[in-house]
Structure formats: C-alpha cells, structure tokens
Amino acid sequence: MDIAQKLRDITKDDAVKSYNELKESSIQSPDFSRIGLKALDYYFLHHRIKTKTRRHISFYEAIKDNAMIKQLDILIARYKKKQVGDYDDVGLLKARYQVFQLYYGTINQFRPMIAKWIYSLFKPSVGILDFSSGWGGRALAAMSMGIPYIGIDANKKLEASYRNMIHAYEPNAPIVMIFKPSEEVDFSRFKYDLIFTSPPYFMIEEYEKMPKYQ
C-alpha cells in the first residue's frame, strides 16, 4: 500500500460514492463542505504529497528522510502530546502528516462544492476554460453538472490521474484535457463562456514538472 492510500484509506467504491454525493448535491451559496474530496484524493493525493511547501520540502521527501522523520516525531510530542509508541504504523504516518502540515505547510486542493457554486452562479452553457487545472476539483464539479470543460496544466504527470478519474466517474463527459503550459495553447480552437481557474501559488508551493515562471 502506498503512502497516499495509507493516509486516506479510500477504496474505489468510496471514491465513486463521494462523486455521486457531489453530483446529487445542490448548492445555493458558498459551501466549504468536504463533499467530493474523497473522489479527488483517490486519484490526486499522491501528487499533492509530492508537492513542496513554502519550506521547500514535500511530505513524500520528508517521510523518506531519517532526520526529517525524527523532527516530525519531535513535533508529534510537541503538538499532540504523544510519543511514537502510542501509534500503530498507519496511525503514526497520519500523525506525522498532520504535524508536517502544521509546521511545514499544507498543500490545498480546490473544493468541488465551491466550483459548483461558481458554476451555479454564472451558469455557463457553452463550456468552462480552466488554464491551470491542478488537482481536479474544478473538473470534477463540471463533470458532476454535465458542463463541457477544457482543462490545461503544465504537469504531464497528472495526465493518467485525470484519464482514470474521468473513466471511473463519467466516461462520456465532455472534457478536453491538455497537458502543456497554457501560454503554448491556441485558445481559439475552443468554445467557452466561462474562464475559471486557480493559478499556481509559487510563493507557497513548488509543483512537480512546472516551468519556473518569474
């Protein structure tokens, strides 16, 4: 079992159930609920834990470094008032992840319910253009509402996760994904009536395979 699976312990059935909950949820105002997050984590958490925080280290790197593991265990004692021996293996991994996020920074994802609220507010019918699609939250919301979506991201490592997510939840969804820097894409090829994205936050996160912009 890989690190992401141990951290969340989400089955494919759990992920599909989470997506169906998102699909069935109506929204009239901004909603910070966690609906749909399991559907995302099943495919994208392993990418997020490899993203470096503002302190220039990822959880994936930290958990493979003995010096960092010792530091995380010190933080567990400081913040959680517990010792390593108080946990089983999976519980210890989760505790290390929690204190890592507290001390080194959190890699956040865009909540699908917020995207649903935006789409409900602006009511796109032609399509949504997202030129920095990231970890799937806005794509998932568009899928759940049957809205055409054009997603662009420079990180080619995300391609398989998007393909698998679309196939699992809505194989016939009107979604186009392009994995290259958005400044290299000819937008005139597409039709859309809403542009909605969440651009890279280079001051607090360092992404896999992302060009180093000024």
Side-chain angles (χ1 to χ4, degrees):
M1 184 181 294
D2 65 21
I3 295 172
Q5 286 178 303
K6 289 179 180 178
L7 286 173
R8 291 289 186 264
D9 191 25
I10 300 169
T11 67
K12 190 170 183 178
D13 286 344
D14 293 333
V16 171
K17 180 180 178 182
S18 176
Y19 173 71
N20 287 332
E21 288 174 352
L22 176 69
K23 191 172 181 178
E24 293 164 6
S25 296
S26 60
I27 182 168
Q28 303 298 325
S29 61
D31 189 333
F32 290 93
S33 81
R34 298 181 60 82
I35 293 173
L37 291 186
K38 287 184 178 181
L40 287 179
D41 280 346
Y42 186 77
Y43 291 103
F44 290 96
L45 180 60
H46 69 282
H47 295 291
R48 286 170 42 223
I49 64 176
K50 291 181 179 179
T51 300
K52 295 182 180 182
T53 71
R54 63 180 180 271
R55 290 178 178 254
H56 312 295
I57 189 169
S58 69
F59 181 70
Y60 185 82
E61 292 170 327
I63 210 65
K64 294 180 177 295
D65 183 285
N66 289 333
M68 280 297 306
I69 289 174
K70 290 179 181 178
Q71 177 63 23
L72 293 176
D73 291 346
I74 291 171
L75 294 174
I76 287 173
R78 180 189 303 172
Y79 292 124
K80 291 182 167 293
K81 311 301 182 186
K82 290 186 177 183
Q83 301 300 319
V84 171
D86 296 330
Y87 298 94
D88 61 20
D89 288 346
V90 173
L92 181 57
L93 179 68
K94 291 180 178 179
R96 286 169 173 165
Y97 186 50
Q98 290 165 359
V99 297
F100 176 89
Q101 292 180 97
L102 283 171
Y103 193 78
Y104 292 97
T106 302
I107 304 298
N108 293 308
Q109 60 185 341
F110 201 99
R111 297 204 174 198
M113 287 296 284
I114 293 293
K116 283 195 71 170
W117 173 68
I118 293 290
Y119 302 159
S120 297
L121 182 67
F122 288 98
K123 297 179 171 55
S125 58
V126 178
I128 298 162
L129 172 65
D130 184 351
F131 57 83
S132 183
S133 55
W135 294 301
R138 293 175 299 283
L140 193 74
M143 287 169 55
S144 74
M145 299 174 75
I147 303 171
Y149 173 92
I150 303 141
I152 302 166
D153 202 276
N155 186 356
K156 293 183 178 181
K157 284 195 170 184
L158 299 177
E159 184 171 2
S161 294
Y162 269 99
R163 183 176 62 249
N164 292 336
M165 180 179 76
I166 294 166
H167 179 75
Y169 303 147
E170 298 286 351
N172 298 315
I175 290 184
V176 174
M177 295 299 307
I178 301 168
F179 295 96
K180 64 192 310 185
S182 60
E183 64 270 24
E184 298 177 9
V185 175
D186 178 7
F187 296 105
S188 69
R189 296 165 46 198
F190 307 111
K191 294 182 179 180
Y192 48 89
D193 54 351
L194 177 66
I195 300 172
F196 182 48
T197 196
S198 179
Y201 290 85
F202 292 112
M203 73 293 291
I204 58 173
E205 298 175 350
E206 298 175 21
Y207 306 93
E208 291 181 286
K209 303 297 182 182
M210 180 68 74
K212 298 296 182 183
Y213 296 101
Q214 295 295 319

